[in-house]
Amino acid sequence: MTDPQKVLAERVQQALASAFGAEHADADPLIRPSQFADFQANVAMSLGKRLRRAPREVAEAIKAELSDFPGTVEVSGPGFLNITLDDSWIASQATEMFEDQRTGVTEIAPAQTVVIDYSAPNAAKEMHVGHLRTTIVGDCLARVHEHLGNHVIRQNHLGDWGTPFGMLIEHLLDIGEEAAVAQLEAGQGTEYYQAARAKFDSDEDFKQRSRVRVTTLQSGDPETMRLWHVFMDATVRYFNKVYEMLGVTLTDADIAGESMYNPMLEKTCQDLEAAGVATISEGALCVFPPGFTGSDDKPLPLIVRKSDGGYGYASTDMAAIRYRVHDLKADRILYVVGADQALHFRMVFAAAKMAGWLPDTVSAEHIQIGMMLGKDGRRFKTRSGESVKLTELLNEAVERASAAIADRGYDQATREEIAHAVGMGAVKYADLSVNHDSEYVFDFDRMLGFTGNTGPYVQYATARIRSIFRRAGRSPEDVTGPIVLDAPAERALGLHLLGFGETVAQVAALSEPHRLCAFVFETASLFSTFFEECPVIKEGVDPETSERRLALCALTLRVLETGLDLLGVPVPERM
Ligand code: ARG
């Protein structure tokens, strides 16, 4: 199966080579969707300039080379090539795609090892709304890479270490393990943290105990480690509740928190220092990657060991990048983390390159996640100014979805099931459908809308197709092609579907899930036009037409369901 735009690009490049010489084979043929045809190629304009020939003449020469192309080619205006594909070609490609087990998504060869660092909430604080996006975007990328046959290694870089754990453990002893566990499991990490913090600030004795506890924790004292585990296990159980609710694929096996790197930190620093990559500056061990300067024009340090001998966020990330390249054998490392950490990652990557830990064959990429905003355009908060609790937010989405389908006559159980799928689908799709690095406004009304580029709209298209099959007394799996495309709405849908495989490949290459959202949204819209214009099983529709329209429906359904699954958006059977 082949993406029409890609096929075209290849054919135009061949035409360029045979008309103007092999040195032009790599020129971008500048293929775009067109208002006047399926596509237009604008290369004659730029090439004409370079060759000092009239663009129209150049366009005519390209056209002559495309005489056996399965479509019509016309030269228009100053030298545009308008290209319309033959209906039969589109139909045969669509049929091939329909017969293909992978629905036109080809596996990447050779497979790559892709390490994906995502979600990464901090223990002892409520897993907040900011981690929602890193979780959802990262999980989509993991699904897409897996579907393409890549070896995906998920790394949940939990914030599970550092000086606050002294006071968190002391607080646990104060209130008792049972009470602490109950509170943490319920997702009240923020309240827990605040209570500990308040004591730390007001109670000298507690403060002193906490400080001592940090030391015993760092020394690996068995009883302190046990308490730390009690704290962490309860916290992780809460994170898992959120993951389960969202249908996120992370498991305990993917946890690779900051604490995991403790045993490596000393050696990390030693090696950096021995290699002359890190130097002592004002008592701290620092790397000064070239090109990074502060506001005072002084070189900016990446502090890998603080002046008091302690390690921090950067120390851990230096150990982690070495581990991911050397031990996990990553070809690509994707850090799905907030955009506000851009400088940190640029410095970590630069420092790792200096140390020779990040060879050119491995690409480390910060997939920047934009901030989530409230409707007021500010950082997303509750009215009382606190950050919003994730489980509450998700529950509200489900409740609202349930209200939206209240009048559809479903029994309680079915309604709950649909509401869950629609609620979670809406939240996830809204996160994925905008550029991951742009800020985005969290707005229930918009994301739960049944029109527009929303999860529910695309889900609804699948439910509609399923209902056509139910009415026909058929199953989408039983329909065989071929796909024939007569009516304009059939043709438009068929042509669009051919781009599925290329879209998925691009999502992986560019780490841009919103492209897949745009694709399934367009699919759902084109299906909706087809549905209005081309009856499938109405009286008066002859069996043959009906059958081939069912085939187009089945292909559309597979594309939508696969697409939504890759996005991590659940697909309810009915809506
Ligand atoms: N826990 C961090 C935070 O919430 C994100 C960790 C991202 N991953 C990393 N390797 N630094 O900001």
Side-chain angles (χ1 to χ4, degrees):
M1 217 300 304
T2 18
D3 173 56
Q5 206 158 324
K6 254 187 133 174
V7 173
L8 245 172
E10 261 166 41
R11 286 303 316 270
V12 173
Q13 284 181 325
Q14 283 165 12
L16 291 176
S18 38
F20 305 105
E23 68 270 29
H24 297 291
D26 292 338
D28 183 347
L30 301 169
I31 313 268
R32 310 271 180 270
S34 161
Q35 262 179 286
F36 310 105
D38 291 332
F39 297 101
Q40 65 184 55
N42 299 346
V43 64
M45 251 60 80
S46 49
L47 190 59
K49 218 178 251 167
R50 237 177 306 138
L51 297 174
R52 295 172 190 281
R53 283 174 62 176
R56 255 197 100 90
E57 215 180 280
V58 173
E60 288 292 352
I62 298 171
K63 177 182 164 175
E65 291 293 335
L66 292 172
S67 58
D68 64 340
F69 186 75
T72 55
V73 182
E74 273 163 19
V75 177
S76 90
F80 299 114
L81 286 157
N82 288 345
I83 299 154
T84 304
L85 295 159
D86 285 342
D87 296 0
S88 60
W89 183 84
I90 301 171
S92 73
Q93 295 295 306
T95 303
E96 222 174 89
M97 183 176 171
F98 188 47
E99 284 162 1
D100 175 14
Q101 293 255 340
R102 299 191 46 90
T103 322
V105 183
T106 37
E107 288 190 295
I108 290 180
Q112 291 192 312
T113 297
V114 185
V115 170
I116 311 184
D117 177 328
Y118 71 102
S119 193
N122 300 317
K125 295 229 180 114
E126 160 74 11
M127 181 180 184
H128 66 83
V129 93
H131 291 112
L132 189 65
R133 285 192 93 187
T134 60
T135 304
I136 290 170
V137 172
D139 205 50
C140 169
L141 295 176
R143 287 163 183 265
V144 167
H145 279 285
E146 252 161 16
H147 189 61
L148 289 170
N150 281 335
H151 174 44
V152 172
I153 305 178
R154 295 165 172 78
Q155 295 280 281
N156 193 352
H157 196 90
L158 295 182
D160 62 356
W161 201 256
T163 43
F165 281 85
M167 76 181 188
L168 294 170
I169 290 173
E170 284 305 317
H171 183 58
L172 183 135
L173 289 169
D174 286 2
I175 63 173
E177 288 182 29
E178 228 173 278
V181 165
Q183 197 179 2
L184 294 166
E185 274 181 356
Q188 290 165 354
T190 306
E191 290 83 344
Y192 182 105
Y193 179 89
Q194 282 165 351
R197 180 82 224 182
K199 269 195 291 180
F200 188 88
D201 289 337
S202 62
D203 179 342
E204 240 348 280
D205 169 59
F206 182 82
K207 193 176 199 161
Q208 195 47 37
R209 279 195 279 140
S210 301
R211 291 207 165 128
V212 174
R213 189 59 74 178
V214 175
T215 335
T216 49
L217 181 66
Q218 275 163 350
S219 70
D221 164 61
E223 175 57 12
T224 306
M225 285 308 291
R226 188 189 69 78
L227 295 168
W228 176 81
H229 274 292
V230 168
F231 178 91
M232 277 314 300
D233 291 352
T235 303
V236 166
R237 278 197 289 279
Y238 169 68
F239 292 161
N240 284 340
K241 264 184 227 165
V242 176
Y243 294 150
E244 202 191 325
M245 217 170 154
L246 281 168
V248 162
T249 59
L250 284 169
T251 68
D252 287 355
D254 305 315
I255 293 177
E258 293 177 20
S259 65
M260 186 184 105
Y261 299 98
N262 284 342
M264 309 177 201
L265 298 178
E266 202 184 310
K267 178 99 167 57
T268 302
C269 289
Q270 274 171 5
D271 291 351
L272 287 172
E273 200 173 2
V277 172
T279 46
I280 302 282
S281 166
E282 292 172 37
L285 185 63
C286 306
V287 183
F288 293 94
F292 293 89
T293 46
S295 50
D296 51 2
D297 271 355
K298 280 213 223 127
L300 214 53
L302 182 76
I303 302 175
V304 289
R305 193 181 60 223
K306 297 181 208 158
S307 54
D308 65 3
Y311 301 110
Y313 194 53
S315 328
T316 309
D317 263 323
M318 286 307 292
I321 199 164
R322 173 144 84 159
Y323 169 75
R324 290 165 183 183
V325 174
H326 185 266
D327 295 75
L328 299 182
K329 311 236 176 301
D331 294 304
R332 281 177 82 180
I333 315 173
L334 310 178
Y335 292 79
V336 188
V337 188
D340 53 351
Q341 295 188 29
L343 178 63
H344 167 75
F345 285 112
R346 278 198 289 130
M347 292 184 78
V348 167
F349 300 164
K353 279 210 184 295
M354 287 168 74
W357 296 352
L358 181 62
D360 290 340
T361 48
V362 179
S363 96
E365 303 160 47
H366 177 198
I367 313 306
Q368 302 190 23
I369 302 299
M371 212 202 297
M372 185 108 90
L373 303 176
K375 270 199 200 172
D376 57 1
R378 308 237 197 126
R379 192 186 266 273
F380 193 67
K381 296 247 166 91
T382 55
R383 235 167 269 152
S384 59
E386 274 156 33
S387 66
V388 176
K389 193 169 280 184
L390 214 47
T391 38
E392 278 170 19
L393 193 78
L394 297 179
N395 281 328
E396 184 172 347
V398 175
E399 277 159 31
R400 284 175 181 252
S402 179
I405 56 164
D407 57 358
R408 299 197 181 174
Y410 293 118
D411 62 74
Q412 186 63 19
T414 312
R415 179 170 160 191
E416 270 171 28
E417 212 181 293
I418 298 174
H420 183 85
V422 172
M424 292 307 98
V427 170
K428 294 179 87 175
Y429 192 96
D431 248 338
L432 294 165
S433 59
V434 283
N435 256 318
H436 60 70
D437 55 354
S438 44
E439 295 180 330
Y440 114 85
V441 175
F442 192 94
D443 178 357
F444 271 129
D445 293 326
R446 204 190 51 77
M447 67 177 72
L448 279 158
F450 284 78
T451 53
N453 189 10
T454 67
Y457 177 74
V458 182
Q459 287 172 322
Y460 185 60
T462 67
R464 243 174 167 181
I465 299 175
R466 289 236 170 246
S467 98
I468 294 174
F469 279 97
R470 269 196 303 276
R471 271 187 289 131
R474 299 281 298 275
S475 130
E477 289 76 39
D478 301 341
V479 181
T480 55
I483 286 174
V484 182
L485 306 164
D486 283 341
E490 290 176 294
R491 185 185 185 281
L493 177 59
L495 176 59
H496 172 72
L497 290 173
L498 298 184
F500 183 53
E502 180 60 17
T503 302
V504 176
Q506 287 205 347
V507 171
L510 306 169
S511 303
E512 289 185 344
H514 75 273
R515 289 171 183 268
L516 185 51
C517 291
F519 186 87
V520 292
F521 171 58
E522 180 72 3
T523 306
S525 313
L526 290 169
F527 174 78
S528 163
T529 311
F530 160 82
F531 184 77
E532 280 155 28
E533 292 177 8
C534 306
V536 181
I537 45 166
K538 236 205 199 125
E539 220 177 301
V541 178
D542 64 275
E544 211 180 297
T545 305
S546 179
E547 192 64 23
R548 53 169 225 245
R549 286 186 177 162
L550 280 175
L552 185 57
C553 286
L555 176 61
T556 307
L557 182 65
R558 231 159 67 200
V559 165
L560 287 174
E561 289 191 338
T562 310
L564 288 173
D565 187 53
L566 293 178
L567 291 166
V569 170
V571 185
E573 286 253 329
R574 307 159 191 262
M575 251 173 95

